[in-house]
């Protein structure tokens, strides 16, 4: 069996930032990435996605976001290229095509079982596999009977298949509003949500929003441990999305109360034929390899941690969770800070063993 210092599960932004931070503490990581490239979920996001933060504020430690206007909002493909370049320049053992099936306690730490066969013995483990692999699909009444097109935002790519159709997008966050507005250019679209959409301006007093988040300390304030549930974040808007909703493209309604084969039932009892439903309802931590590790997860499958360090499993840590420590924990701009925190914690843990 191969022996390693730290097995980092996931080779996206969280795993790469963690590997960088561990190396700075002279700890040798092995990064295990299930897909064929070290770019995380970014290659699978919808085609038009851009970052919500500008390039100058969207880099991992040690490598600025390259090229172009630093105030631009990089496209998905730019982020994929950036992460691939970051991985190539990182002096770490990154193994693509290595999906982790299970993590168990073992002599001196953990046993990491690979889906294709094989075991690694690791003194510590970092779960940095993100959330994209576990889309949240709310239990909306009758949704299982709907016979039209039903997608989660994780499966949505572009508006072309929906041209001329009647579509309902469920959600009130950034992705929900972006997808609904994009679809509404060539389809009849309703944004259905439990509460009205909350907006925040992209420019405030002549400066970009993230300047103010940084200046005020809100982006890094360690509030994550105080939150029972992550709050819904407002939609960052330069004016186009608020205007689109005001013009009814898309229109916004309370979420439907039921679905019946090809129809949805609105709150007023109206039944309407619908071609497609897109669930932009978020994600949950994707940790299918941890249920067998007693104490790692709670009864609902959520990580039991404090600031990313597992509460009941010494040597296990998490990086990239929503609100792990702060507002920016699961973003390109903030994950490096959490990775550095966890690297210090694990380096101290390994010295004690």
């Amino acid at each position: 069996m191969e022996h390693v210092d730290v097995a980092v599960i996931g080779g996206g932004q969280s795993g790469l930032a963690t590997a960088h931070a561990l190396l700075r503490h002279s700890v040798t990581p092995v990064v295990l990435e299930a897909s064929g490239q070290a770019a995380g979920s970014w290659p699978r996001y919808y085609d038009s996605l851009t970052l919500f933060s500008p390039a100058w504020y969207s880099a991992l430690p040690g490598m600025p976001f390259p090229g172009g206007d630093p105030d631009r909002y990089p496209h998905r493909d730019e982020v994929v290229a950036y992460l691939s370049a970051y991985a190539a320049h990182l002096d770490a053992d990154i193994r693509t095509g290595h999906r982790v099936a299970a993590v168990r306690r073992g002599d001196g730490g953990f046993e990491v079982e690979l889906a294709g066969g094989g075991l690694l013995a690791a003194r510590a483990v970092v779960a940095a596999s993100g959330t994209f692999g576990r889309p949240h699909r709310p239990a909306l009444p009758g949704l299982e009977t709907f016979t039209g097109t039903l997608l989660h935002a994780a499966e949505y790519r572009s508006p072309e298949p929906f041209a001329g159709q009647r579509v309902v997008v469920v959600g009130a966050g950034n992705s929900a509003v972006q997808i609904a507005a994009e679809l509404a250019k060539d389809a009849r679209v309703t944004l259905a949500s439990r509460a009205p959409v909350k907006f925040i301006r992209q420019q405030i007093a002549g400066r970009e929003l993230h300047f103010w988040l940084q200046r005020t300390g809100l982006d890094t304030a360690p509030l994550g441990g105080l939150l029972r549930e992550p709050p819904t974040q407002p939609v960052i808007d330069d004016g186009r999305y608020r205007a689109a909703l005001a013009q009814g493209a898309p229109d916004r309604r309370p979420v439907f109360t039921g679905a019946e084969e090809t129809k949805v039932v609105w709150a007023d009892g109206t039944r309407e034929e619908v071609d497609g439903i897109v669930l932009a309802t978020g994600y949950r931590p994707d940790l299918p390899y941890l249920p067998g590790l007693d104490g790692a997860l709670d009864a609902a499958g959520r990580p039991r941690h404090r600031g990313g360090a597992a509460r009941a499993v010494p040597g296990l840590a998490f990086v990239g969770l929503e609100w792990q420590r702060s507002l920016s924990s699961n973003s390109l701009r903030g994950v490096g800070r959490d990775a550095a925190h966890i690297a210090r914690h694990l380096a101290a843990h390994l010295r004690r063993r």
Side-chain angles (χ1 to χ4, degrees):
M1 185 187 303
E2 182 181 3
H3 291 256
V4 303
D5 280 344
V6 182
V8 178
I9 304 173
Q13 62 193 37
S14 302
L16 295 175
T18 300
H20 177 273
L22 288 169
L23 289 167
R24 290 177 64 85
H25 286 271
S26 300
V27 175
T28 304
V30 172
V31 180
L32 304 170
E33 166 58 32
S35 73
Q37 65 181 129
S41 56
W42 281 97
R44 293 172 283 163
Y45 285 128
Y46 53 95
D47 293 347
S48 63
L49 179 66
T50 59
L51 286 176
F52 304 131
S53 55
W56 60 266
Y57 202 47
S58 301
L60 296 179
M63 184 175 171
F65 206 99
D69 179 4
D71 292 322
R72 77 190 189 284
Y73 297 87
H75 181 263
R76 175 201 65 186
D77 293 345
E78 291 184 82
V79 179
V80 172
Y82 171 75
L83 292 175
S84 297
Y86 191 92
H89 285 85
L90 193 61
D91 186 19
D93 185 353
I94 300 173
R95 305 180 187 181
T96 58
H98 283 59
R99 181 178 297 278
V100 173
V103 176
R104 298 182 290 268
R105 284 183 171 86
D107 294 338
F110 304 90
E111 287 186 357
V112 179
E113 179 184 349
L114 301 177
L119 289 172
L120 280 73
R123 298 171 65 201
V125 169
V126 179
S129 48
T131 62
F132 188 83
R134 192 184 170 196
H136 175 57
R137 300 175 184 270
L140 299 174
L143 199 60
E144 70 281 359
T145 70
F146 183 69
T147 57
T149 300
L150 177 61
L151 299 177
H152 190 275
E155 303 163 292
Y156 172 80
R157 291 294 175 273
S158 67
E160 284 78 14
F162 299 94
Q165 295 187 5
R166 179 72 176 101
V167 184
V168 176
V169 178
V170 180
N174 281 286
S175 292
V177 173
Q178 285 190 356
I179 290 171
E182 178 176 73
L183 286 168
K185 295 175 182 177
D186 294 297
R188 294 178 297 116
V189 182
T190 291
L191 182 68
S193 58
R194 299 190 188 281
V197 178
K198 296 180 180 179
F199 291 99
I200 187 168
R201 288 183 293 164
Q202 200 167 63
Q203 296 285 328
I204 299 173
R207 302 300 296 263
E208 209 276 340
L209 169 66
H210 291 86
F211 168 85
W212 295 112
L213 291 177
Q214 185 180 57
R215 177 62 63 90
T216 60
L218 288 174
D219 215 34
T220 58
L223 303 176
L226 305 177
L227 302 173
R228 292 181 60 87
E229 292 291 340
T232 300
Q233 295 189 25
V235 174
I236 300 173
D237 186 26
D238 60 4
R240 78 183 82 172
Y241 298 122
R242 195 190 301 264
L245 282 168
Q247 294 165 10
D251 73 306
R252 187 264 158 191
R253 304 185 199 181
V255 70
F256 50 83
T257 59
E260 302 171 350
E261 296 183 344
T262 62
K263 299 178 181 180
V264 296
V265 183
W266 297 108
D268 62 2
T270 302
R271 286 166 167 76
E272 183 182 7
E273 293 276 349
V274 169
D275 298 297
I277 298 173
V278 180
L279 301 173
T281 46
Y283 302 84
R284 299 294 183 266
D286 185 26
L287 304 165
Y289 45 84
L290 286 184
L293 190 59
D294 187 44
L297 308 176
D298 65 16
R302 295 172 297 200
R304 298 183 62 228
H305 72 97
R306 177 173 295 165
R311 290 177 177 269
V313 187
L316 173 68
F318 303 89
V319 175
L321 301 175
E322 186 179 12
W323 280 98
Q324 178 168 312
R325 297 178 69 230
S326 70
L327 168 65
S328 59
S329 280
N330 67 335
S331 68
L332 269 172
R333 69 183 190 272
V335 70
R337 287 186 288 269
D338 284 9
H341 172 77
I342 288 303
R344 289 192 297 270
H345 167 77
L346 289 181
H349 168 78
L350 295 176
R351 286 196 297 268
R352 292 193 296 269
R353 296 185 65 82

